[in-house]
Amino acid sequence: EVQLVESGGGLVQAGESLRLSCAASGFTFDDYSIGWFRQAPGKEREGVSCISSSDGNTYYEESVKGRFTISSDTAKNTVYLQMDSLKPEDTAVYYCAAGGGVCYYREYNYWGQGTQVTVSS
């Protein structure tokens, strides 16, 4: 059974940092790209950052470039999203997902349950 379990969300003030973790199981980690997506109330789910399984290439949504860093630990089947200099507009439920192709939620098949990130001003 494919499982993705996120952790690390919480409530922080603007300018602070959080690190999200996504622990994956039930599939061969290297066979899928892993992405972090977020969804704020009333908005479409958007791709925040993705890491390719084939070549390790990374993608970042424009608004998080220079602030967020995605990384993976294949020995632990875990992907991380380091989020620095957080802004109130980063507030959303963050999901990790496994799939392929571009960093667009419709390209991803397996999803975690999500973790809330709230940034106060």
Side-chain angles (χ1 to χ4, degrees):
E1 179 187 4
V2 173
Q3 281 196 320
L4 297 162
V5 180
E6 304 98 334
S7 61
L11 170 63
V12 296
Q13 293 188 329
E16 294 184 339
S17 299
L18 282 174
R19 189 176 81 154
L20 305 183
S21 299
C22 173
S25 62
F27 63 95
T28 303
F29 196 65
D30 289 345
D31 285 348
Y32 291 88
S33 295
I34 305 294
W36 284 98
F37 298 80
R38 65 186 178 187
Q39 189 164 20
K43 294 189 176 180
E44 186 180 26
R45 191 167 296 189
E46 65 174 353
V48 176
S49 183
C50 297
I51 185 165
S52 169
S53 60
S54 60
D55 55 16
N57 281 348
T58 56
Y59 161 87
Y60 294 95
E61 193 272 328
E62 192 64 34
S63 70
V64 308
K65 284 181 180 178
R67 300 189 297 122
F68 290 12
T69 304
I70 191 169
S71 61
S72 66
D73 185 336
T74 54
K76 295 182 179 180
N77 276 14
T78 300
V79 174
Y80 304 97
L81 185 68
Q82 177 67 40
M83 305 188 295
D84 298 322
S85 302
L86 281 160
K87 302 176 180 180
E89 50 264 44
D90 295 318
T91 296
V93 178
Y94 283 70
Y95 300 88
C96 83
V102 298
C103 198
Y104 178 55
Y105 71 92
R106 293 188 187 275
E107 298 288 329
Y108 284 69
N109 310 102
Y110 303 105
W111 291 84
Q113 81 287 352
T115 186
Q116 177 71 45
V117 171
T118 304
V119 185
S120 63
S121 57

